[in-house]
């Protein structure tokens, strides 16, 4: 009996378990007895419904913006250059103006102040940035003191010294610097290389400061009164570079300078001789012959008056002459054709029946609009042109 009762009790418990399991499984939404629902709620966690996500809109990707370039400094145009060989008689004085910078090389003989200061005023100069004293002889420094007092140069470059102008330079507070071969000076936008002296020999002429000024590839050589071994050395230095555009002839055309070998090495297209009435025979026949044999066109302040070169940023050069525009062809200063009065420039009359033009290396004269004047355009009177050139067959100027 006990065994049979135990079996019946086990069967009853199994039935209850089956009924509870079936009720829980058959009513997931909440049916059946309250007790069954409570058991399931505490036994299982509801699975959270995933949140709806927004579908990405289809769009063309935008290109990445290019980085903004850093601002660069605008290219600064090269300022125009003026080179003026002032007619100071038997002596030297040359002005160089590059943009707002102005310098004076030598101050001519005593009494030259008026001519030099007149040229400075025409250029609009109120103060000199620098003076160069090539050597202390009176025909290069005699007129310098007055100019120094009036134009108060900031800097002076000397070889041996400034001679009679030393006191004036010190009194206005000018800084004086001795220069030697190998140095490079800045003349505004121009470079000026010191080619001589390397050291002082004791001869003032031979020890002259010699400057090679470069203006965008055009080279101008200022020689003072350089002669002897230093002139030979200067020639060998110049021979390493392109030909000179212009040579300021040393020592007023003396026979002791400007040798044929020097001219072959420098190969100058033009030469300017600063000279006046003198008893030395300057410029000498030997110097004029050597220059002409080298193919150099020669001008002088005695014959042509003050000579002005205007070098544009493009490199083109315009020449202006205070007297005749005809080149020197003979020695003695006044030989080779007389000089007229007034200023000979483009667009003005200066002898003959009008104004025509020549080029740096050509053998013809031209009308102002001729195609052959694109690189150089030098005014000359028709009378002077007819004496030394032939008429261009393209533009057909008057003959």
């Amino acid at each position: 009996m006990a065994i049979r009762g135990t079996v019946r009790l086990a069967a009853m418990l199994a039935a209850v378990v089956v009924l509870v399991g079936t009720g829980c499984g058959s009513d997931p939404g909440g049916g059946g007895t309250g007790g069954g629902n409570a058991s399931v709620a505490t036994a299982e966690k509801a699975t959270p419904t995933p949140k709806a996500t927004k579908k990405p809109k289809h769009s063309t990707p935008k290109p990445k913006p290019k980085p903004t370039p850093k601002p660069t400094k605008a290219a600064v145009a090269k300022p125009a250059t003026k080179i003026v060989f002032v007619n100071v008689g038997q002596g030297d004085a040359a002005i160089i103006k590059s943009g707002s910078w102005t310098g004076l090389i030598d101050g001519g003989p005593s009494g030259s102040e008026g001519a030099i200061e007149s040229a400075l005023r025409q250029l609009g100069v109120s103060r000199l940035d620098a003076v160069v004293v090539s050597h202390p002889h009176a025909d290069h420094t005699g007129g310098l003191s007055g100019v120094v007092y009036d134009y108060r140069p900031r800097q002076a470059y000397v070889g041996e010294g400034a001679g009679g102008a030393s006191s004036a330079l010190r009194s206005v507070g000018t800084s004086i610097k001795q220069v030697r071969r190998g140095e490079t000076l800045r003349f505004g936008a121009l470079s000026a290389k010191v080619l001589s002296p390397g050291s002082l020999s004791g001869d003032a002429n031979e020890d002259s400061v010699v400057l090679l000024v470069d203006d965008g590839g055009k080279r101008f050589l200022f020689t003072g009164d350089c002669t002897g071994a230093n002139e030979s050395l200067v020639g060998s230095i110049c021979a390493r570079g392109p030909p000179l555009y212009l040579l300021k002839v040393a020592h007023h055309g003396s026979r002791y300078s400007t040798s044929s070998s020097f001219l072959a090495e420098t190969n100058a297209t033009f030469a300017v001789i600063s000279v006046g009435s003198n008893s030395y025979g300057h410029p000498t026949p030997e110097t004029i012959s050597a220059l002409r044999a080298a193919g150099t066109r020669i001008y002088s302040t005695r014959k042509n008056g003050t000579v002005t070169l205007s070098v544009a940023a493009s490199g083109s050069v315009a020449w202006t002459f205070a007297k005749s525009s005809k080149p020197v062809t003979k020695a003695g200063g006044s030989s080779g054709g007389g000089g007229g009065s007034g200023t000979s420039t483009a667009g003005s009359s200066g002898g003959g029946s009008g104004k025509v033009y020549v080029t740096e290396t050509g053998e013809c004269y031209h009308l102002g609009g001729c195609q052959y004047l694109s690189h150089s355009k030098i005014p000359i009177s028709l009378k002077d042109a007819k004496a030394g050139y032939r008429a261009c067959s393209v533009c057909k100027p008057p003959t």
Side-chain angles (χ1 to χ4, degrees), residues 120-143:
L120 290 170
R121 285 194 298 271
Q122 289 181 37
L123 294 171
V125 177
S126 59
R127 187 172 185 185
L128 283 168
D129 292 282
V131 294
V132 178
V133 182
S134 67
H135 64 296
H137 283 170
D139 55 341
H140 292 250
T141 63

Side-chain angles (χ1 to χ4, degrees), residues 46-293:
T47 303
T49 304
K51 294 181 180 179
T53 57
K54 293 182 180 180
K55 294 183 179 180
K57 294 181 180 179
H58 179 74
S59 61
T60 304
K62 294 181 180 180
K64 292 182 179 179
K66 294 182 179 179
T68 304
K70 294 181 179 179
T72 57
K73 292 182 179 179
V76 179
K78 183 187 82 64
T81 300
K82 291 270 190 181
I83 299 176
V84 183
F85 295 94
V86 184
N87 183 10
V88 292
Q90 182 68 9
D92 269 28
I95 300 167
I96 299 177
K97 188 175 190 331
S98 172
S100 61
W101 186 97
T102 307
L104 173 67
I105 302 178
D106 289 334
S110 178
S112 300
E113 300 94 323
I116 296 170
E117 293 192 6
S118 175
L120 290 170
R121 285 194 298 271
Q122 289 181 37
L123 294 171
V125 177
S126 59
R127 187 172 185 185
L128 283 168
D129 292 282
V131 294
V132 178
V133 182
S134 67
H135 64 296
H137 283 170
D139 55 341
H140 292 250
T141 63
L144 189 56
S145 292
V147 178
V148 167
Y149 285 125
D150 291 338
Y151 284 84
R152 311 175 318 282
R154 295 178 173 87
Q155 179 75 58
Y157 300 108
V158 303
E160 178 183 340
S166 297
S167 177
L169 289 167
R170 286 193 296 268
S171 70
V172 299
T174 301
S175 175
I176 302 174
K177 174 180 170 57
Q178 282 193 325
V179 292
R180 293 292 182 264
R181 181 184 302 124
E183 295 184 55
T184 298
L185 313 177
R186 293 303 307 178
F187 287 1
L190 313 177
S191 69
K193 293 181 179 179
V194 181
L195 303 191
S196 192
S199 59
L200 298 180
S201 67
D203 183 300
N205 286 337
E206 185 170 345
D207 293 338
S208 290
V209 174
V210 178
L211 298 176
L212 180 62
V213 177
D214 189 288
D215 184 1
K218 278 188 167 58
R219 306 201 305 166
F220 303 81
L221 188 66
F222 295 85
T223 56
D225 282 356
C226 188
T227 186
N230 278 346
E231 182 185 73
S232 299
L233 182 56
V234 167
S236 66
I237 295 172
C238 290
R240 301 170 195 163
L244 297 180
Y245 181 80
L246 183 143
L247 166 69
K248 199 292 296 182
V249 175
H251 207 182
H252 324 291
S254 161
R255 66 169 54 89
Y256 301 110
S257 298
T258 322
S259 67
S260 296
S261 59
F262 173 80
L263 292 174
E265 290 176 315
T266 53
N267 195 19
T269 302
F270 296 98
V272 172
I273 305 173
S274 189
V275 66
S277 297
N278 64 88
S279 59
Y280 308 107
H282 296 162
T284 63
E286 295 92 333
T287 300
I288 298 300
S289 295
L291 285 162
R292 296 194 70 196

Side-chain angles (χ1 to χ4, degrees), residues 9-64:
L9 178 59
M12 288 173 65
L13 290 173
V16 172
V17 171
V18 171
L19 286 173
V20 172
T22 303
C24 292
S26 62
D27 188 12
T33 62
N37 281 330
S39 298
V40 175
T42 56
E44 296 182 5
K45 293 182 180 179
T47 303
T49 304
K51 294 181 180 179
T53 57
K54 293 182 180 180
K55 294 183 179 180
K57 294 181 180 179
H58 179 74
S59 61
T60 304
K62 294 181 180 180
K64 292 182 179 179

